[in-house]
Amino acid sequence: MHYGEFLSSIANETLPYPNCYFPFFASNLIFELYNKTDGAYVKLLYNNVPVPICNGQEACEYDEFVRFARNAVGNHT
């Protein structure tokens, strides 16, 4: 939880970042890159559970994943 979210939640105020989620302590994110003859694709696992990232699918074409990731982080690198 974002620190601002935490402070607002204990003060019973409106949450400033309602869509901001952080992984639980000691969680892991695994990005798997597969290279096949028909093209590369990416899978994301959160604590060894597949996460649908591109159009609700667990496997995402590499180029589509790059667009997704750039959109998710904005101008940050």
Side-chain angles (χ1 to χ4, degrees):
M1 176 180 281
H2 187 274
Y3 186 66
E5 295 283 295
F6 172 73
L7 293 177
S8 295
S9 67
I10 60 174
N12 212 14
E13 299 173 347
T14 302
L15 301 178
Y17 309 102
N19 296 322
C20 186
Y21 300 101
F22 286 89
F24 292 108
F25 179 75
S27 293
N28 65 61
L29 292 171
I30 300 170
F31 293 86
E32 296 180 339
L33 177 62
Y34 295 87
N35 191 12
K36 298 191 114 189
T37 55
D38 59 343
Y41 64 96
V42 176
K43 285 186 178 182
L44 172 62
L45 303 168
Y46 173 70
N47 292 332
N48 295 328
V49 176
V51 176
I53 51 176
C54 294
N55 300 322
Q57 299 176 12
E58 293 176 4
C60 185
E61 289 185 16
Y62 179 77
D63 293 335
E64 186 178 355
F65 175 76
V66 170
R67 286 191 296 276
F68 168 80
R70 284 185 178 152
N71 185 44
V73 298
N75 292 328
H76 306 288
T77 58

